[in-house]
Protein backbone atom coordinates (compact mmCIF):
# COMPACT_ATOMS: atom_id res chain seq x y z
CA UNK A 1 0.00 0.00 0.00
CA UNK A 2 1.57 3.28 -1.11
CA UNK A 3 1.59 6.32 1.16
CA UNK A 4 0.28 9.71 -0.01
CA UNK A 5 3.90 10.77 -0.47
CA UNK A 6 4.65 7.97 -2.92
CA UNK A 7 1.35 8.40 -4.74
CA UNK A 8 2.21 12.05 -5.42
CA UNK A 9 5.19 10.98 -7.51
CA UNK A 10 4.08 7.60 -8.86
CA UNK A 11 0.47 7.94 -9.97
CA UNK A 12 1.33 8.36 -13.64
CA UNK A 13 2.80 6.20 -16.36
CA UNK A 14 6.57 6.00 -16.65
CA UNK A 15 6.80 8.95 -19.03
CA UNK A 16 4.54 11.74 -20.26
CA UNK A 17 2.77 11.85 -23.61
CA UNK A 18 5.29 12.01 -26.41
CA UNK A 19 5.39 13.84 -29.70
CA UNK A 20 8.44 13.73 -31.99
CA UNK A 21 8.92 16.70 -34.30
CA UNK A 22 8.62 15.78 -37.95
CA UNK A 23 11.34 16.59 -40.43
CA UNK A 24 14.01 16.76 -37.74
CA UNK A 25 15.81 13.46 -38.29
CA UNK A 26 19.49 12.98 -39.06
CA UNK A 27 21.18 9.63 -39.62
CA UNK A 28 17.95 7.93 -38.63
CA UNK A 29 17.65 9.79 -35.30
CA UNK A 30 15.61 12.85 -34.36
CA UNK A 31 17.53 16.04 -33.60
CA UNK A 32 14.86 17.23 -31.16
CA UNK A 33 11.55 16.13 -29.68
CA UNK A 34 8.58 17.64 -27.89
CA UNK A 35 7.00 16.23 -24.73
CA UNK A 36 3.95 17.03 -22.67
CA UNK A 37 4.72 17.52 -19.00
CA UNK A 38 2.48 17.13 -16.01
CA UNK A 39 0.28 20.16 -15.33
CA UNK A 40 1.78 22.85 -13.10
CA UNK A 41 -0.17 24.08 -10.07
CA UNK A 42 -0.17 27.84 -9.63
CA UNK A 43 -0.53 30.26 -6.72
CA UNK A 44 -0.99 34.01 -7.27
CA UNK A 45 -0.09 33.56 -10.94
CA UNK A 46 -2.35 34.16 -13.92
CA UNK A 47 -0.27 31.92 -16.13
CA UNK A 48 2.54 29.44 -15.60
CA UNK A 49 5.20 27.54 -17.52
CA UNK A 50 4.30 25.86 -20.79
CA UNK A 51 3.45 22.18 -20.44
CA UNK A 52 4.72 21.37 -23.94
CA UNK A 53 8.51 21.32 -23.83
CA UNK A 54 11.06 20.77 -26.57
CA UNK A 55 14.51 19.30 -26.04
CA UNK A 56 17.36 18.81 -28.48
CA UNK A 57 19.26 15.55 -28.70
CA UNK A 58 22.37 17.26 -27.37
CA UNK A 59 20.58 18.60 -24.30
CA UNK A 60 18.69 15.36 -23.67
CA UNK A 61 21.95 13.39 -23.59
CA UNK A 62 23.57 16.07 -21.42
CA UNK A 63 20.77 15.87 -18.84
CA UNK A 64 20.86 12.09 -18.93
CA UNK A 65 24.62 12.05 -18.42
CA UNK A 66 24.44 14.52 -15.53
CA UNK A 67 21.71 12.61 -13.71
CA UNK A 68 23.44 9.28 -14.27
CA UNK A 69 26.72 10.76 -13.01
CA UNK A 70 25.11 12.07 -9.84
CA UNK A 71 23.43 8.72 -9.20
CA UNK A 72 26.71 6.80 -9.61
CA UNK A 73 28.61 9.35 -7.53
CA UNK A 74 26.09 9.09 -4.70
CA UNK A 75 26.21 5.30 -4.85
CA UNK A 76 29.99 5.50 -4.51
CA UNK A 77 29.63 7.93 -1.60
CA UNK A 78 27.25 5.55 0.13
CA UNK A 79 29.73 2.70 -0.23
CA UNK A 80 32.61 4.85 1.05
CA UNK A 81 30.54 5.75 4.09
CA UNK A 82 29.74 2.11 4.81
CA UNK A 83 33.47 1.36 4.57
CA UNK A 84 34.06 4.16 7.14
CA UNK A 85 36.22 6.04 4.64
CA UNK A 86 33.71 8.88 4.87
CA UNK A 87 33.10 10.05 8.43
CA UNK A 88 30.55 12.38 9.95
CA UNK A 89 27.29 13.19 8.18
CA UNK A 90 26.45 12.18 4.62
CA UNK A 91 23.15 13.00 2.91
CA UNK A 92 22.56 11.42 -0.52
CA UNK A 93 20.62 12.92 -3.44
CA UNK A 94 19.64 9.65 -5.14
CA UNK A 95 16.14 9.99 -6.61
CA UNK A 96 16.19 13.79 -6.67
CA UNK A 97 18.59 14.24 -9.60
CA UNK A 98 16.00 15.81 -11.92
CA UNK A 99 15.56 18.76 -9.54
CA UNK A 100 19.19 19.90 -9.62
CA UNK A 101 19.83 19.03 -13.28
CA UNK A 102 16.64 20.73 -14.45
CA UNK A 103 17.36 23.92 -12.51
CA UNK A 104 21.00 24.02 -13.58
CA UNK A 105 19.92 23.66 -17.22
CA UNK A 106 17.91 26.87 -16.97
CA UNK A 107 20.46 28.93 -15.03
CA UNK A 108 22.34 31.75 -16.72
CA UNK A 109 25.99 32.70 -16.01
CA UNK A 110 24.90 35.55 -13.75
CA UNK A 111 22.63 33.35 -11.60
CA UNK A 112 23.70 31.73 -8.34
CA UNK A 113 22.57 28.97 -6.02
CA UNK A 114 22.64 28.01 -2.36
CA UNK A 115 21.26 24.79 -0.90
CA UNK A 116 21.16 22.62 2.20
CA UNK A 117 23.45 19.75 3.16
CA UNK A 118 22.21 17.36 0.42
CA UNK A 119 24.60 19.15 -1.90
CA UNK A 120 26.94 16.67 -3.66
CA UNK A 121 25.02 16.73 -6.94
CA UNK A 122 24.77 20.50 -7.00
CA UNK A 123 28.50 20.83 -6.34
CA UNK A 124 29.24 18.66 -9.36
CA UNK A 125 26.81 20.58 -11.57
CA UNK A 126 28.34 23.91 -10.55
CA UNK A 127 31.75 22.91 -11.85
CA UNK A 128 33.54 20.67 -9.33
CA UNK A 129 34.80 17.36 -10.69
CA UNK A 130 33.57 14.03 -9.37
CA UNK A 131 37.00 13.47 -7.86
CA UNK A 132 36.81 16.90 -6.20
CA UNK A 133 33.48 15.95 -4.61
CA UNK A 134 34.50 12.46 -3.47
CA UNK A 135 37.88 13.63 -2.12
CA UNK A 136 36.07 16.31 -0.15
CA UNK A 137 33.79 13.65 1.26
CA UNK A 138 36.78 11.61 2.41
CA UNK A 139 38.50 14.65 3.91
CA UNK A 140 41.41 14.68 1.45
CA UNK A 141 43.46 17.54 0.09
CA UNK A 142 42.14 17.06 -3.44
CA UNK A 143 38.64 17.95 -2.32
CA UNK A 144 36.97 21.18 -3.42
CA UNK A 145 37.54 22.62 0.09
CA UNK A 146 40.78 20.69 0.75
CA UNK A 147 38.81 18.20 2.80
CA UNK A 148 37.89 20.82 5.40
CA UNK A 149 34.19 21.05 4.61
CA UNK A 150 33.22 17.46 4.02
CA UNK A 151 29.75 16.38 2.95
CA UNK A 152 27.83 19.37 4.26
CA UNK A 153 30.02 22.30 3.15
CA UNK A 154 31.01 22.38 -0.52
CA UNK A 155 31.45 25.47 -2.67
CA UNK A 156 32.12 26.54 -6.25
CA UNK A 157 31.85 29.63 -8.41
CA UNK A 158 28.32 31.08 -8.07
CA UNK A 159 27.54 28.22 -5.68
CA UNK A 160 27.35 29.26 -2.06
CA UNK A 161 27.40 25.75 -0.82
CA UNK A 162 25.50 23.30 1.25
CA UNK A 163 24.56 24.66 4.65
CA UNK A 164 24.57 22.50 7.76
CA UNK A 165 21.98 24.58 9.67
CA UNK A 166 18.42 23.56 8.79
CA UNK A 167 16.80 26.37 6.80
CA UNK A 168 19.68 28.83 7.28
CA UNK A 169 20.45 28.89 3.56
CA UNK A 170 17.10 30.50 2.74
CA UNK A 171 17.71 33.95 4.29
CA UNK A 172 21.30 33.71 3.03
CA UNK A 173 19.88 33.17 -0.46
CA UNK A 174 17.74 36.27 -0.05
CA UNK A 175 20.91 38.14 0.91
CA UNK A 176 22.71 36.88 -2.20
CA UNK A 177 19.74 38.09 -4.27
CA UNK A 178 19.94 41.47 -2.51
CA UNK A 179 23.63 41.71 -3.44
CA UNK A 180 22.78 40.93 -7.04
CA UNK A 181 20.09 43.59 -7.06
CA UNK A 182 22.39 46.13 -5.38
CA UNK A 183 25.31 45.46 -7.73
CA UNK A 184 23.09 45.39 -10.82
CA UNK A 185 24.31 42.01 -12.06
CA UNK A 186 20.76 41.08 -13.17
CA UNK A 187 21.26 37.60 -11.75
CA UNK A 188 18.83 35.66 -9.57
CA UNK A 189 19.61 33.37 -6.64
CA UNK A 190 18.06 29.92 -6.32
CA UNK A 191 17.66 29.13 -2.62
CA UNK A 192 16.74 25.50 -1.95
CA UNK A 193 15.38 23.81 1.16
CA UNK A 194 13.43 20.67 2.04
CA UNK A 195 9.88 20.05 3.17
CA UNK A 196 11.10 19.57 6.75
CA UNK A 197 12.90 22.92 6.78
CA UNK A 198 9.81 24.59 5.31
CA UNK A 199 8.43 25.09 8.84
CA UNK A 200 11.43 27.13 10.01
CA UNK A 201 10.46 30.65 11.06
CA UNK A 202 13.43 32.27 9.34
CA UNK A 203 12.09 31.07 5.98
CA UNK A 204 8.88 33.06 6.39
CA UNK A 205 10.91 36.10 7.39
CA UNK A 206 12.95 35.70 4.20
CA UNK A 207 9.75 35.43 2.12
CA UNK A 208 8.49 38.70 3.62
CA UNK A 209 11.68 40.69 3.12
CA UNK A 210 12.22 39.35 -0.40
CA UNK A 211 8.70 40.33 -1.42
CA UNK A 212 8.90 43.80 0.14
CA UNK A 213 12.21 44.52 -1.58
CA UNK A 214 11.31 42.69 -4.80
CA UNK A 215 14.46 40.59 -4.59
CA UNK A 216 15.38 38.31 -7.53
CA UNK A 217 15.19 35.16 -5.41
CA UNK A 218 13.72 31.79 -6.38
CA UNK A 219 12.77 29.89 -3.25
CA UNK A 220 12.67 26.16 -4.02
CA UNK A 221 11.12 23.62 -1.67
CA UNK A 222 12.42 20.19 -2.67
CA UNK A 223 9.56 18.16 -1.25
CA UNK A 224 10.92 14.62 -0.96
CA UNK A 225 8.10 13.66 1.34
CA UNK A 226 9.71 12.75 4.63
CA UNK A 227 11.96 15.41 6.19
CA UNK A 228 14.11 13.62 8.82
CA UNK A 229 11.74 10.65 9.00
CA UNK A 230 8.31 12.22 9.41
CA UNK A 231 5.99 12.43 6.42
CA UNK A 232 4.99 15.90 5.23
CA UNK A 233 1.36 15.23 6.16
CA UNK A 234 2.32 14.57 9.77
CA UNK A 235 4.69 17.52 10.08
CA UNK A 236 2.93 20.31 8.17
CA UNK A 237 -0.62 21.59 8.44
CA UNK A 238 -0.40 22.82 4.85
CA UNK A 239 1.46 20.48 2.50
CA UNK A 240 0.87 22.68 -0.54
CA UNK A 241 4.29 24.20 -0.04
CA UNK A 242 4.11 26.34 -3.17
CA UNK A 243 1.28 28.35 -1.56
CA UNK A 244 2.94 28.98 1.79
CA UNK A 245 4.71 32.26 1.00
CA UNK A 246 1.45 34.23 1.20
CA UNK A 247 1.74 37.06 -1.35
CA UNK A 248 4.76 35.49 -3.09
CA UNK A 249 3.65 33.68 -6.26
CA UNK A 250 4.18 29.93 -6.30
CA UNK A 251 4.32 27.01 -8.73
CA UNK A 252 4.18 23.25 -8.15
CA UNK A 253 6.24 21.12 -10.54
CA UNK A 254 6.84 17.40 -11.01
CA UNK A 255 10.34 17.12 -9.57
CA UNK A 256 10.89 13.71 -11.14
CA UNK A 257 10.70 15.18 -14.66
CA UNK A 258 13.90 17.03 -15.57
CA UNK A 259 12.24 18.84 -18.49
CA UNK A 260 9.36 20.08 -16.34
CA UNK A 261 11.82 21.39 -13.75
CA UNK A 262 13.82 23.12 -16.46
CA UNK A 263 10.74 24.89 -17.81
CA UNK A 264 9.53 25.90 -14.35
CA UNK A 265 12.96 27.35 -13.55
CA UNK A 266 13.08 29.27 -16.83
CA UNK A 267 9.67 30.70 -16.00
CA UNK A 268 10.82 31.63 -12.50
CA UNK A 269 13.99 33.31 -13.76
CA UNK A 270 11.99 35.38 -16.23
CA UNK A 271 9.64 36.35 -13.40
CA UNK A 272 12.53 37.54 -11.23
CA UNK A 273 14.35 39.28 -14.07
CA UNK A 274 11.28 41.33 -14.96
CA UNK A 275 11.38 43.02 -11.57
CA UNK A 276 8.37 41.22 -10.09
CA UNK A 277 10.35 39.98 -7.13
CA UNK A 278 10.60 36.48 -5.65
CA UNK A 279 8.77 33.32 -6.62
CA UNK A 280 8.42 29.96 -4.88
CA UNK A 281 8.76 26.59 -6.62
CA UNK A 282 7.80 23.28 -5.05
CA UNK A 283 9.45 20.30 -6.73
CA UNK A 284 7.63 17.08 -5.83
CA UNK A 285 10.40 14.52 -5.66
CA UNK A 286 11.48 11.42 -3.70
CA UNK A 287 14.65 10.25 -1.97
CA UNK A 288 15.60 6.60 -2.17
CA UNK A 289 18.02 6.63 0.77
CA UNK A 290 17.34 7.63 4.34
CA UNK A 291 17.57 11.23 5.50
CA UNK A 292 21.26 10.60 6.15
CA UNK A 293 23.43 7.50 6.13
CA UNK A 294 22.55 6.85 9.78
CA UNK A 295 18.88 6.56 8.82
CA UNK A 296 17.92 3.28 7.06
CA UNK A 297 14.85 5.02 5.68
CA UNK A 298 12.59 2.00 6.09
CA UNK A 299 11.19 2.48 9.59
CA UNK A 300 8.64 5.06 8.45
CA UNK A 301 7.97 3.75 4.93
CA UNK A 302 7.94 0.34 3.28
CA UNK A 303 10.49 -1.11 0.92
CA UNK A 304 7.61 -1.74 -1.49
CA UNK A 305 6.90 1.99 -1.61
CA UNK A 306 10.51 2.79 -2.54
CA UNK A 307 10.54 0.03 -5.16
CA UNK A 308 7.28 1.29 -6.65
CA UNK A 309 8.65 4.80 -7.16
CA UNK A 310 11.88 3.40 -8.64
CA UNK A 311 9.88 1.35 -11.14
CA UNK A 312 7.35 3.98 -12.17
CA UNK A 313 8.78 7.45 -11.63
CA UNK A 314 12.58 7.23 -11.54
CA UNK A 315 13.89 10.44 -13.16
CA UNK A 316 16.78 8.73 -14.96
CA UNK A 317 14.78 5.79 -16.30
CA UNK A 318 12.00 8.17 -17.31
CA UNK A 319 14.32 10.36 -19.41
CA UNK A 320 15.98 7.26 -20.88
CA UNK A 321 12.62 5.99 -22.09
CA UNK A 322 11.78 9.36 -23.56
CA UNK A 323 15.07 9.51 -25.44
CA UNK A 324 14.58 6.03 -26.89
CA UNK A 325 10.88 6.47 -27.70
CA UNK A 326 11.54 9.76 -29.47
CA UNK A 327 14.47 8.15 -31.33
CA UNK A 328 16.88 10.80 -30.10
CA UNK A 329 19.56 8.17 -29.51
CA UNK A 330 20.13 4.42 -29.61
CA UNK A 331 20.45 1.99 -26.74
CA UNK A 332 24.10 1.50 -27.68
CA UNK A 333 24.77 5.23 -27.46
CA UNK A 334 23.28 5.41 -23.99
CA UNK A 335 25.22 2.35 -22.85
CA UNK A 336 28.44 3.96 -24.05
CA UNK A 337 27.67 7.07 -21.98
CA UNK A 338 26.89 4.93 -18.94
CA UNK A 339 30.11 2.95 -19.32
CA UNK A 340 32.27 6.07 -19.46
CA UNK A 341 30.56 7.49 -16.38
CA UNK A 342 31.01 4.28 -14.40
CA UNK A 343 34.71 4.26 -15.27
CA UNK A 344 35.13 7.92 -14.27
CA UNK A 345 33.41 7.41 -10.91
CA UNK A 346 35.42 4.25 -10.22
CA UNK A 347 38.67 6.10 -10.88
CA UNK A 348 37.60 9.06 -8.74
CA UNK A 349 36.67 6.70 -5.91
CA UNK A 350 40.13 5.14 -5.91
CA UNK A 351 41.76 8.58 -5.83
CA UNK A 352 39.48 9.68 -2.99
CA UNK A 353 40.70 6.71 -0.94
CA UNK A 354 44.40 7.28 -1.54
CA UNK A 355 44.61 11.08 -1.77
CA UNK A 356 46.65 12.78 0.96
CA UNK A 357 45.15 14.80 3.78
CA UNK A 358 46.26 18.40 4.23
CA UNK A 359 49.01 19.12 6.75
CA UNK A 360 48.47 20.55 10.21
CA UNK A 361 50.02 23.81 8.99
CA UNK A 362 46.95 24.43 6.85
CA UNK A 363 44.39 24.15 9.63
CA UNK A 364 44.19 27.91 10.15
CA UNK A 365 44.27 28.80 6.46
CA UNK A 366 41.20 29.75 4.43
CA UNK A 367 39.46 31.44 7.36
CA UNK A 368 39.76 35.02 6.10
CA UNK A 369 39.41 36.21 2.52
CA UNK A 370 42.29 38.67 2.85
CA UNK A 371 44.49 37.49 5.72
CA UNK A 372 47.33 39.82 4.63
CA UNK A 373 45.29 42.70 6.04
CA UNK A 374 45.27 41.10 9.48
CA UNK A 375 48.93 41.36 10.38
CA UNK A 376 49.52 41.08 14.09
CA UNK A 377 46.73 38.57 14.62
CA UNK A 378 48.22 35.12 15.04
CA UNK A 379 47.21 32.10 12.98
CA UNK A 380 45.63 34.06 10.14
CA UNK A 381 48.32 33.66 7.47
CA UNK A 382 48.20 30.35 5.54
CA UNK A 383 51.18 28.11 6.34
CA UNK A 384 52.37 30.45 9.12
CA UNK A 385 53.59 28.79 12.27
CA UNK A 386 50.92 27.57 14.62
CA UNK A 387 51.05 28.26 18.32
CA UNK A 388 49.64 26.00 20.96
CA UNK A 389 50.23 25.01 24.52
CA UNK A 390 52.09 21.85 25.25
CA UNK A 391 52.59 20.80 28.86
CA UNK A 392 51.54 24.27 29.96
CA UNK A 393 54.15 26.07 27.84
CA UNK A 394 53.47 28.00 24.65
CA UNK A 395 55.70 26.72 21.86
CA UNK A 396 56.02 27.18 18.11
CA UNK A 397 55.47 24.15 15.90
Amino acid sequence: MLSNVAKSVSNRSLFSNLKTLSGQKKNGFASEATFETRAFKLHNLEEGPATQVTVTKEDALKYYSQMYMIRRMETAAGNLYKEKTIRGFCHLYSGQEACAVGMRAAMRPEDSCITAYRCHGWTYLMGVSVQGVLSELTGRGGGCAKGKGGSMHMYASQFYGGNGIVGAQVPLGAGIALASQYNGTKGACISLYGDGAANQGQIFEAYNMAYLWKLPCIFVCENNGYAMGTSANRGSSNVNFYTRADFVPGCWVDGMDVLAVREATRFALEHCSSGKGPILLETATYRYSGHSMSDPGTSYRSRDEIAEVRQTRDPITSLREKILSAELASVEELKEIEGKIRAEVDTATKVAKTDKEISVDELTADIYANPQNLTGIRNTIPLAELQHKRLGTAVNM
Side-chain angles (χ1 to χ4, degrees):
M1 200 69 180
L2 288 180
S3 71
N4 291 332
V5 173
K7 286 178 182 178
S8 70
V9 293
S10 64
N11 60 359
R12 285 172 53 85
S13 60
L14 183 60
F15 51 93
S16 306
N17 295 329
L18 167 67
K19 173 187 174 185
T20 306
L21 295 178
S22 59
Q24 297 291 331
K25 287 197 172 185
K26 182 179 180 181
N27 298 326
F29 292 98
S31 59
E32 60 182 35
T34 299
F35 302 93
E36 192 73 23
T37 72
R38 225 173 146 177
F40 299 95
K41 300 176 187 177
L42 307 178
H43 171 69
N44 283 344
L45 288 168
E46 293 184 1
E47 60 179 1
T51 56
Q52 192 174 83
V53 299
T54 299
V55 62
T56 64
K57 173 178 179 174
E58 180 182 5
D59 283 345
L61 294 182
K62 177 183 178 181
Y63 305 155
Y64 183 76
S65 298
Q66 289 175 330
M67 289 197 293
Y68 194 85
M69 180 69 84
I70 294 172
R71 179 71 59 85
R72 295 294 302 186
M73 183 175 69
E74 293 293 59
T75 299
N79 292 334
L80 288 169
Y81 189 93
K82 292 171 185 175
E83 296 170 7
K84 300 188 184 300
T85 307
I86 293 176
R87 301 300 183 98
F89 294 99
C90 185
H91 304 79
L92 304 182
Y93 206 63
S94 302
Q96 300 182 214
E97 296 88 354
C99 297
V101 172
M103 283 181 263
R104 184 69 180 105
M107 288 174 67
R108 306 158 301 184
E110 62 268 26
D111 297 323
S112 55
C113 173
I114 186 170
T115 187
Y117 35 72
R118 206 177 301 278
C119 62
H120 312 156
W122 267 106
T123 306
Y124 164 71
L125 292 174
M126 295 302 287
V128 176
S129 67
V130 175
Q131 188 264 312
V133 172
L134 292 179
S135 288
E136 185 61 32
L137 286 168
T138 57
R140 312 295 173 128
C144 57
K146 301 181 183 177
K148 296 180 178 183
S151 176
M152 302 173 78
H153 305 281
M154 298 183 179
Y155 309 92
S157 177
Q158 296 294 97
F159 179 57
Y160 292 84
N163 196 298
I165 308 295
V166 176
Q169 71 279 5
V170 181
L172 290 175
I176 296 167
L178 174 62
S180 177
Q181 182 188 73
Y182 181 83
N183 292 322
T185 65
K186 299 183 179 180
C189 180
I190 297 176
S191 185
L192 300 105
Y193 56 99
D195 50 290
N199 296 318
Q200 290 280 321
Q202 59 195 324
I203 292 180
F204 293 91
E205 296 176 40
Y207 292 158
N208 184 57
M209 295 174 72
Y211 187 77
L212 286 173
W213 296 343
K214 294 294 183 285
L215 300 182
C217 190
I218 303 174
F219 299 108
V220 181
C221 177
E222 292 183 291
N223 181 7
N224 62 29
Y226 286 105
M228 288 183 69
T230 302
S231 67
N233 288 322
R234 294 184 64 194
S236 298
S237 56
N238 177 9
V239 294
N240 295 313
F241 294 99
Y242 68 102
T243 69
R244 291 178 60 171
D246 199 7
F247 287 98
V248 177
C251 177
W252 179 97
V253 55
D254 180 3
M256 304 296 267
D257 183 346
V258 65
L259 300 181
V261 175
R262 184 193 69 179
E263 293 310 302
T265 308
R266 284 178 175 173
F267 176 86
L269 286 170
E270 184 177 346
H271 177 93
C272 289
S273 299
S274 63
K276 296 177 181 177
I279 188 171
L280 195 162
L281 299 182
E282 176 190 348
T283 58
T285 185
Y286 196 85
R287 59 168 168 78
Y288 295 148
S289 302
H291 169 72
S292 67
M293 289 300 295
S294 60
D295 167 26
T298 53
S299 59
Y300 46 83
R301 58 180 179 175
S302 68
R303 296 183 186 277
D304 289 342
E305 175 182 309
I306 301 170
E308 178 74 12
V309 176
R310 279 185 178 272
Q311 292 169 9
T312 61
R313 293 294 297 149
D314 182 81
I316 300 174
T317 303
S318 176
L319 182 59
R320 193 178 199 276
E321 292 295 331
K322 286 177 180 178
I323 290 171
L324 294 175
S325 298
E327 297 181 338
L328 289 169
S330 65
V331 172
E332 291 72 23
E333 196 170 354
L334 294 180
K335 284 184 176 179
E336 182 180 358
I337 291 172
E338 294 163 3
K340 289 180 179 178
I341 290 173
R342 286 195 296 269
E344 182 176 347
V345 173
D346 289 346
T347 300
T349 302
K350 292 177 183 177
V351 173
K353 288 181 176 182
T354 58
D355 196 8
K356 293 183 179 180
E357 297 180 359
I358 59 173
S359 67
V360 174
D361 291 337
E362 283 231 40
L363 288 178
T364 57
D366 306 313
I367 296 175
Y368 300 96
N370 298 301
Q372 292 78 9
N373 298 331
L374 300 170
T375 55
I377 301 177
R378 68 174 188 171
N379 298 344
T380 58
I381 307 298
L383 303 180
E385 291 183 327
L386 296 177
Q387 291 184 342
H388 77 139
K389 288 187 177 180
R390 179 181 298 167
L391 299 177
T393 304
V395 297
N396 290 329
M397 292 181 65

